Amino acid sequence: MTSEEIKEKYSMSEILERYGFKPNRAGFICCPFHREKTPSMKIYAKSFYCFGCGKHGDIFDFVAGMENCNFSEAYKSLGGVEDNSRKAKFAEYKRRKAREKATRIAQNERNKKICIFDRQDELRALLSELEPLSDEWANCYRELLQVTAERAKLSKEEDIYEYAYTYVTSGLYQDFYSKGAG
């Protein structure tokens, strides 16, 4: 049986019954992972969360905590069978590679956003130093709009150009009028 099949087969209440726990009407029990007098562990259909100690997880985490074992042993105690075939190993390899790729993509997105934020700050500072409506100011303003549109695209804003215009002009009007150009 796979872990998903086990999760479908057993509910949290069945696992609790195995260890002699019965949730109250609100779905709470006294947490078995720390000492307490009043129930603080909320039991959900497929998971649990203790508001006292912060322990949380699914049926495997609960069994592992109760039996003081790791996930693999909890998996086996719930009826899981290790599949050491090539097909299973290859499937696990593919899942691991997919997770690594997703992590890499997320990190690249974060790095890209950081670069954009830094460039926006640089351009705003430069705009406040330049003579309003000069060629350099206009070029810097155009680049700031482009960088801000990229930021909006990464942030998945609905109207990218409205966002960029509003973001850029909000700080520029003050600089523009403070230099007497208005």
Side-chain angles (χ1 to χ4, degrees), residues 92-138:
E92 177 57 33
Y93 170 79
K94 284 175 45 176
R95 282 192 297 274
R96 185 168 35 88
K97 287 297 182 183
R99 281 192 306 268
E100 289 172 1
K101 183 178 180 182
T103 302
R104 204 171 38 253
I105 289 171
Q107 184 62 41
N108 288 341
E109 289 292 318
R110 280 191 295 276
N111 291 342
K112 197 172 186 181
K113 282 182 182 179
I114 290 170
C115 288
I116 287 174
F117 293 161
D118 291 346
R119 185 63 182 150
Q120 277 182 315
D121 292 342
E122 292 169 7
L123 290 170
R124 269 204 156 163
L126 182 60
L127 276 174
S128 65
E129 296 170 5
L130 293 173
E131 181 67 31
L133 300 179
S134 65
D135 289 339
E136 294 140 344
W137 184 91

Side-chain angles (χ1 to χ4, degrees), residues 6-168:
I6 292 172
K7 285 182 182 180
E8 290 298 317
K9 182 178 178 181
Y10 296 110
S11 67
M12 245 346 263
S13 59
E14 291 172 328
I15 299 299
L16 290 173
E17 286 176 21
R18 176 186 273 196
Y19 295 102
F21 293 105
K22 182 162 175 48
N24 63 18
R25 288 188 304 180
F28 283 88
I29 64 169
C30 286
C31 181
F33 306 118
H34 74 279
R35 299 179 105 189
E36 64 181 358
K37 294 180 182 178
T38 59
S40 66
M41 181 179 279
K42 175 71 173 169
I43 305 300
Y44 302 98
K46 299 287 181 186
S47 63
F48 67 93
Y49 179 80
C50 179
F51 292 94
C53 66
K55 186 131 173 107
H56 63 281
D58 58 10
I59 59 174
F60 297 109
D61 296 314
F62 191 85
V63 171
M66 289 301 293
E67 297 183 7
N68 198 22
C69 63
N70 60 23
F71 172 84
S72 179
E73 293 167 351
Y75 172 73
K76 289 176 187 173
S77 76
L78 289 172
V81 179
E82 285 190 41
D83 187 3
N84 291 328
S85 68
R86 281 185 169 198
K87 187 176 181 179
K89 288 180 181 179
F90 183 68
E92 177 57 33
Y93 170 79
K94 284 175 45 176
R95 282 192 297 274
R96 185 168 35 88
K97 287 297 182 183
R99 281 192 306 268
E100 289 172 1
K101 183 178 180 182
T103 302
R104 204 171 38 253
I105 289 171
Q107 184 62 41
N108 288 341
E109 289 292 318
R110 280 191 295 276
N111 291 342
K112 197 172 186 181
K113 282 182 182 179
I114 290 170
C115 288
I116 287 174
F117 293 161
D118 291 346
R119 185 63 182 150
Q120 277 182 315
D121 292 342
E122 292 169 7
L123 290 170
R124 269 204 156 163
L126 182 60
L127 276 174
S128 65
E129 296 170 5
L130 293 173
E131 181 67 31
L133 300 179
S134 65
D135 289 339
E136 294 140 344
W137 184 91
N139 289 336
C140 188
Y141 180 80
R142 186 172 16 89
E143 185 180 351
L144 181 58
L145 279 174
Q146 290 170 343
V147 168
T148 306
E150 283 181 48
R151 175 182 176 179
K153 194 182 299 181
L154 281 175
S155 301
K156 296 174 179 57
E157 293 289 333
E158 298 262 336
D159 189 354
I160 292 171
Y161 297 105
E162 180 66 28
Y163 173 82
Y165 178 77
T166 304
Y167 177 83
V168 170

